[in-house]
């Protein structure tokens, strides 16, 4: 394949703490390898609308510790149409961009896969999402920071829950995945996690709560993963309230606070490694793959596999949470 002279880089979909660190790594590794870097603003939207700026190493100075993304992000409707993707390709040609590095999650890689099937452009993905729901990588950038944000919030909720002897249902993000809710429940000592991967029948939930609440404890915290399957924290709380009107129940939806903040050390390191690995992948003629990490080793995962939506959840964690919540 012809040598890649210029790469385009974009951040797309929901932002994740560590995206800036990954952008820094991609930019610096590309320049280190003799490539030019064009930053594309607002994800695929910037490709469709031609919002592009050449980046030098100093454009990514002092951003490793910042949440969000300095080149902005968006979910782009136009890019889901063939006409939109043609415009995007025209922009690539206009700017002489030979390859793309896309930072994002499931939607970003679905778009990349589609684009790569229509046009002859090598694309490498860097997994950035707090949901940790991409297959083929043990961790995604942003997940560790979000986990710590949830734990910090739950620690605070515990103070008031215990003072008032209340039962709290705390809704955690994750799109359709329970990784964040389950691991945050373990790390914060929550009584239970209601997650889409494990069906928890009404009576079982009551049992879990009753086994601790008012028996050995005077307050409880249950983390609920947002999802159509769980119905969210309010739905679960309503169910429990109708069965146990004696409980003093409260609901907290953590929301977008989980997406912000300075990335943790783990996320900064992962972002630096995967950002640099994306450029190595292009140098090695890889195309249409996500760079990921498995057992601490860098791996290349085809987009089709990464977006498969069947990342296994470790059932041992579910059992441990149950055992420790008595
Ligand atoms: O994929 C990341 C995520 O934060 C999900 O956890 C959540 O369901 C979704 O994005 C929220 O998206 P938006 O920012 O568009 O409301």
């Amino acid at each position: 394949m012809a040598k890649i002279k210029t790469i385009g880089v974009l951040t797309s979909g929901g932002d994740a703490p560590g995206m800036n660190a990954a952008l820094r790594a991609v930019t610096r590794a590309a320049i280190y390898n003799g490539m030019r870097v064009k930053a594309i603003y607002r994800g695929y939207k910037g490709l469709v609308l031609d919002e592009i700026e050449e980046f030098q190493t100093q454009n990514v100075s002092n951003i490793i510790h910042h949440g969000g993304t300095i080149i902005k992000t968006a979910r782009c409707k136009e890019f889901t149409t063939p006409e939109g993707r043609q415009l995007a390709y025209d922009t690539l040609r206009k700017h002489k961009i030979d390859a793309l590095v896309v930072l994002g999650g499931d939607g970003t890689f679905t778009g990349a896969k589609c684009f790569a099937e229509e046009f002859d452009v090598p694309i490498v993905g860097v997994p950035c999402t707090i949901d940790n729901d991409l297959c083929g990588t043990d961790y995604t950038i942003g997940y560790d920071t979000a986990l710590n944000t949830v734990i910090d919030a739950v620690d605070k909720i515990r103070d008031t829950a215990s003072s008032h002897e209340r039962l709290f249902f705390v809704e955690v993000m994750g799109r359709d995945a329970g990784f964040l809710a389950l691991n945050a429940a373990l790390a914060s000592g929550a009584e239970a996690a209601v997650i889409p991967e494990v069906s928890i029948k009404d009576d079982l939930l009551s049992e879990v709560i009753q086994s601790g609440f008012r028996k050995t404890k005077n307050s409880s915290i249950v983390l609920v993963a947002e999802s159509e399957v769980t119905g969210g924290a309010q739905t679960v709380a309503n169910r429990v309230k109708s069965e146990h009107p004696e409980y003093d129940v409260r609901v907290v939806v953590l929301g977008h606070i989980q997406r912000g903040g300075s990335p943790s050390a783990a996320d900064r390191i992962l972002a630096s490694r995967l950002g640099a690995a994306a450029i190595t992948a292009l140098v090695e003629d890889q195309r249409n793959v996500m760079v990921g990490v498995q057992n601490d080793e860098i791996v290349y995962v085809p987009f089709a596999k990464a977006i498969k939506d069947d990342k296994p959840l470790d059932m041992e964690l579910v059992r441990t949470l149950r055992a420790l919540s008595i």
Side-chain angles (χ1 to χ4, degrees), residues 206-266:
S206 296
E207 188 197 302
V208 167
I209 294 163
Q210 264 180 318
S211 69
F213 198 54
R214 293 284 150 84
K215 218 166 161 197
T216 55
K217 304 168 185 175
N218 61 5
S219 67
S220 281
I221 295 178
V222 174
L223 297 200
V224 183
E226 63 166 1
S227 144
E228 274 178 23
V229 180
T230 64
Q234 189 63 59
T235 308
V236 178
N238 289 346
R239 235 164 53 199
V240 171
K241 253 196 298 195
S242 70
E243 281 166 40
H244 298 281
E246 71 278 18
Y247 292 170
D248 194 3
V249 172
R250 290 291 186 277
V251 171
V252 176
V253 177
L254 293 182
H256 288 79
I257 194 171
Q258 296 161 96
R259 289 236 297 259
S262 182
S264 66

Side-chain angles (χ1 to χ4, degrees), residues 65-183:
H65 57 307
H66 287 307
T69 158
I70 61 161
I71 56 172
K72 316 294 178 196
T73 185
R75 302 192 200 272
C76 177
K77 275 230 173 74
E78 297 94 312
F79 198 71
T80 61
T81 67
E83 297 75 27
R85 290 193 293 275
Q86 180 62 55
L87 285 173
Y89 182 65
D90 295 344
T91 307
L92 284 186
R93 296 202 56 178
K94 179 177 157 195
H95 290 272
K96 299 193 166 43
I97 294 172
D98 309 308
L100 270 181
V101 178
V102 296
L103 279 52
D106 186 72
T108 306
F109 298 162
T110 304
K113 178 175 172 287
C114 196
F115 194 59
E117 279 161 7
E118 288 170 354
F119 302 99
D120 185 25
V121 182
I123 311 181
V124 173
V126 179
C128 297
T129 166
I130 65 163
D131 302 338
N132 200 32
D133 60 347
L134 289 164
C135 294
T137 186
D138 293 342
Y139 299 108
T140 57
I141 297 160
Y143 170 64
D144 181 71
T145 307
L147 204 47
N148 282 291
T149 301
V150 175
I151 292 163
D152 189 45
V154 173
D155 288 350
K156 291 184 168 108
I157 291 167
R158 191 173 287 289
D159 290 343
T160 178
S162 134
S163 304
H164 283 267
E165 304 186 299
R166 281 175 170 157
L167 169 56
F168 269 82
F169 290 91
V170 181
E171 185 171 306
V172 173
M173 274 188 172
R175 208 164 52 98
D176 299 313
F179 298 99
L180 205 46
L182 178 61
N183 283 292

